[in-house]
Amino acid sequence: MPDAGAKGAGVPPRWFIRTAWVVHRALYRVTFGKVGLWRPKPDGWGTLRLTVPGRRSGKPRSVILGYVEDGPNLVTLAMNGWGEGEPAWWLNLLSHPEATVALKDGTRPVYAHAAVDEERRRLWSRWRAIDPHLDAHAALRSTETAVVVLEPRD
């Protein structure tokens, strides 16, 4: 299995990805959420802050993720920075699919599920239109990258 920073893959080294995550979260915290979240542009993705109970602790866990909109749904990828293993937030959602997202314009409760079959193909294509290297990046992982749909809930 190649390193996530493999030459030609266009993916930065793991230490760089982890540092970027830490800096992004810190920026969000120190600005009290004024910096760090943005709405997706027509040809790009936005960022949201997902909060979900931990699968073992039950304590709220938050992460900032990229997303695209699909009607009322928000769609993200459980990619773990294109490294091996599933991201903790996705494992938490598998145990507790009810979560909350903070967006640039407010918060909303959501229910998460993994897209399958035609829905997955359609949403993967949507991400591929934004990132033409998506398939090459996903090939760095030995497991399929989940396409996660966050549906609004009442």
Side-chain angles (χ1 to χ4, degrees):
M1 173 55 60
D3 174 42
K7 191 173 188 161
V11 176
R14 190 81 179 149
W15 67 265
F16 184 87
I17 293 170
R18 292 184 60 79
T19 300
W21 287 338
V22 169
V23 170
H24 195 159
R25 284 191 309 263
L27 201 59
Y28 179 85
R29 274 194 306 270
V30 300
T31 64
F32 300 100
K34 290 184 173 76
V35 175
L37 301 182
W38 60 85
R39 297 204 40 83
K41 295 194 171 31
D43 60 345
W45 46 272
T47 57
L48 60 80
R49 184 172 190 246
L50 172 77
T51 302
V52 60
R55 63 192 175 280
R56 290 189 286 258
S57 71
K59 294 179 183 175
R61 303 293 183 197
S62 297
V63 62
I64 296 176
L65 303 169
Y67 77 99
V68 296
E69 294 176 325
D70 184 49
N73 298 336
L74 309 173
V75 181
T76 190
L77 302 175
M79 63 182 178
N80 202 18
W82 299 119
E84 281 301 315
E86 299 295 347
W89 63 265
W90 176 229
L91 297 173
N92 290 340
L93 278 176
L94 289 171
S95 294
H96 304 285
E98 292 186 352
T100 304
V101 293
L103 302 167
K104 181 71 176 168
D105 53 1
T107 61
R108 70 170 85 156
V110 294
Y111 185 85
H113 75 269
V116 295
D117 302 328
E118 177 52 34
E119 181 184 37
R120 185 183 193 289
R121 285 188 291 277
R122 180 178 61 80
L123 296 172
W124 188 265
S125 292
R126 183 107 185 269
W127 273 101
R128 189 186 300 120
I130 294 168
D131 180 1
H133 304 289
L134 184 66
D135 292 327
H137 294 167
L140 296 171
R141 295 170 39 92
S142 63
T143 57
E144 182 176 80
T145 300
V147 177
V148 182
V149 179
L150 304 168
E151 300 175 350
R153 64 180 166 92
D154 297 329

